[in-house]
Amino acid sequence: DQQVKQNSPSLSVQEGRISILNCDYTNSMFDYFLWYKKYPAEGPTFLISISSIKDKNEDGRFTVFLNKSAKHLSLHIVPSQPGDSAVYFCAASADFGNEKLTFGTGTRLTIIP
Amino acid sequence: ETGVTQSPTHLIKTRGQQVTLRCSSQSGHNTVSWYQQALGQGPQFIFQYYREEENGRGNFPPRFSGLQFPNYSSELNVNALELDDSALYLCASSGLQGARTEAFFGQGTRLTVV
């Protein structure tokens, strides 16, 4: 049972444009959400997080939006840069103080120069 | 500030053997989690250690076991290796329990079982 879903395995975006990566979840107990970026041969790198008490969190070029009623979150990257090309994982946590993360299957983002 | 380091980076084992993977947590972090990432999948939670005690376990059989040491470094042990155990094993460390913090990942150990 996939509790966190990233339905787009890949996405290509022109440099300078906005990249939008989507994530859906089914477990209503999830209350903390994170996005990680992963380059080949490296571990995932934390990008941005959002608590369920918020609907938006922004950090530089990265903004995460959370729609709790739809159980949907999205990561916006603007403007997209070639270095953003990587696999992006959405993750969720339900256990305050435990921080077990449930990950999606990832979306491979390719920025076209 | 040192990051999360894992050893070895690559490993080849034969089915039925046992393997130990090691992880040094980020300085100041007292919680270590282990994840298995199969090809084309997202990381899956194996278990977590907090102050040397197991603090949550995912859907993995008992032949997956772990340890955390007083310096908060950790080991993942897998007995009776199966071909399906071939994966990238990721260690993540995080800080204060009870605070929502992101987990910092190591580069992973690529295990191949033949």
Side-chain angles (χ1 to χ4, degrees), chain B residues 33-102:
Chain B
S33 302
W34 286 91
Y35 291 82
Q36 180 196 66
Q37 186 181 9
L39 202 60
Q41 301 297 314
Q44 288 206 1
F45 177 76
I46 303 174
F47 43 57
Q48 181 183 90
Y49 280 83
Y50 169 63
R51 291 188 176 177
E52 303 177 59
E53 296 286 332
E54 188 177 289
N55 182 40
R57 187 178 183 93
N59 189 25
F60 281 81
R63 59 189 185 83
F64 285 78
S65 63
L67 280 174
Q68 187 180 32
F69 300 99
N71 65 355
Y72 303 132
S73 66
S74 177
E75 285 182 357
L76 164 66
N77 298 291
V78 187
N79 293 322
L81 283 167
E82 300 177 0
L83 297 179
D84 284 350
D85 296 333
S86 295
L88 180 68
Y89 288 84
L90 294 162
C91 168
S93 75
S94 52
L96 296 172
Q97 276 290 325
R100 305 315 288 269
T101 60
E102 65 272 18

Side-chain angles (χ1 to χ4, degrees), chain A residues 32 36 43 93 96-99 101, chain B residues 35 42 48 55 97-98 100 103 106:
Chain A
Y32 188 60
Y36 281 84
S93 170
F96 188 85
N98 181 308
E99 306 307 340
L101 296 177
Chain B
Y35 291 82
Q48 181 183 90
N55 182 40
Q97 276 290 325
R100 305 315 288 269

Side-chain angles (χ1 to χ4, degrees), chain A residues 3-4 25-33 52 92-94 102:
Chain A
Q3 297 186 58
V4 177
Y25 62 95
T26 57
N27 187 341
S28 57
M29 299 301 291
F30 288 146
D31 64 350
Y32 188 60
F33 303 89
S52 60
S93 170
T102 300

